[in-house]
Amino acid sequence: MKDNLHLLIPFLGSFLFVGGLIASKSASQRGVSSSAVSLATNLICSIAFIPFWFFGGEVPETNLWWQPIICATLFMVGMAFTYASVSVGDVSVASPVFGIKVLLVTIVLAIATQKMPSNALWIASAMATSGVVIVQWTGVGDAKNTALTILLASLAACCYAVLDVLIQTWSQSWGTGRLLPIMFLIVGLLSLPLLLRIDWKPIRTKAGASVLLLAAILMTGQVISIVGTLSLFG
């Protein structure tokens, strides 16, 4: 049991994730764009992962420097799709769709390792995905843009699935204390052009700024719980 205690960290992250989606939707309703929430989250993440440097590791040869760039890009695209999905639709529609990442990770692992996962893992993945389908069939979260919401959330889940596998794989050569801080430094730098796209008027209000900050902090906590655990424990 003690060997599995680290699994409680991403379990907590799932609650932070839903909270972040709800706060993001609230921000959208106050006129705060998904670009603004993405920028805030990316910048806070780039700062929050600096202490991970103390976990140690080493920077490989320059021919591997493209790896954190790929990870950063996948993270940014996934985050953009995430916030866009709740911006155009309902959280109750988008949230369950992210559950398909369980199946996607299993498939990506099978392709990456060229080794078939156990039958138990396939069954668990299929059950989780079935739960997503059942929730959607209930008609919960009836929204005009339900199809678009599901599409955007699915694309985000695809990005996160590939990212999870890459972080677990590449952390072995970089070390948690090098891959993650460098990756999120790149995320912060690549996010700066979003400053030119943001409508600052809604953010200048107390309500808009508060819910924007809340969404970014909750999502950053979720990212740390998932990405950090993957890198440290696999």
Side-chain angles (χ1 to χ4, degrees):
M1 178 65 181
K2 292 182 178 179
D3 294 338
N4 295 322
L5 285 178
H6 64 276
L7 297 178
L8 294 176
I9 302 175
F11 178 68
L12 172 62
S14 64
F15 291 96
L16 296 175
F17 182 70
V18 175
L21 291 182
I22 294 173
S24 175
K25 182 63 179 181
S26 180
S28 175
Q29 292 171 340
R30 287 171 169 78
V32 179
S33 67
S34 58
S35 294
V37 185
S38 293
L39 175 63
T41 302
N42 293 347
L43 292 180
I44 292 177
C45 279
S46 66
I47 297 172
F49 275 90
I50 292 177
F52 274 72
W53 189 268
F54 295 103
F55 281 110
E58 60 180 49
V59 179
E61 299 294 330
T62 54
N63 63 333
L64 294 180
W65 287 6
W66 56 272
Q67 293 180 347
I69 297 176
I70 293 296
C71 289
T73 302
L74 282 170
F75 175 81
M76 291 180 61
V77 174
M79 197 62 70
F81 281 138
T82 297
Y83 288 133
S85 68
V86 295
S87 178
V88 303
D90 194 86
V91 175
S92 63
V93 175
S95 296
V97 177
F98 289 101
I100 68 171
K101 192 184 81 167
V102 179
L103 178 61
L104 294 174
V105 167
T106 306
I107 294 173
V108 174
L109 274 173
I111 296 174
T113 62
Q114 295 184 341
K115 181 180 179 182
M116 291 298 292
S118 65
N119 291 334
L121 186 56
W122 280 114
I123 293 172
S125 301
M127 289 175 65
T129 306
S130 298
V132 174
V133 175
I134 292 172
V135 168
Q136 296 303 340
W137 276 354
T138 62
V140 175
D142 184 19
K144 296 180 180 179
N145 297 318
T146 297
L148 180 57
T149 301
I150 293 175
L151 173 61
L152 292 171
S154 298
L155 291 173
C158 290
C159 291
Y160 294 145
V162 176
L163 177 62
D164 286 356
V165 174
L166 293 182
I167 286 178
Q168 176 177 298
T169 303
W170 292 341
S171 289
Q172 297 175 17
S173 56
W174 284 76
T176 299
R178 295 299 178 267
L179 179 63
L180 297 187
I182 292 174
M183 166 191 162
F184 282 98
L185 174 62
I186 295 171
V187 167
L189 293 175
L190 294 179
S191 300
L192 293 179
L194 290 174
L195 289 168
L196 303 177
R197 296 187 52 190
I198 294 175
D199 178 9
W200 294 96
K201 187 175 179 180
I203 304 175
R204 293 191 182 101
T205 65
K206 184 177 180 180
S210 297
V211 75
L212 167 65
L213 186 60
L214 177 61
I217 291 176
L218 288 173
M219 198 62 76
T220 298
Q222 180 267 339
V223 172
I224 291 174
S225 66
I226 299 295
V227 174
T229 303
L230 274 173
S231 181
L232 286 170
F233 300 102

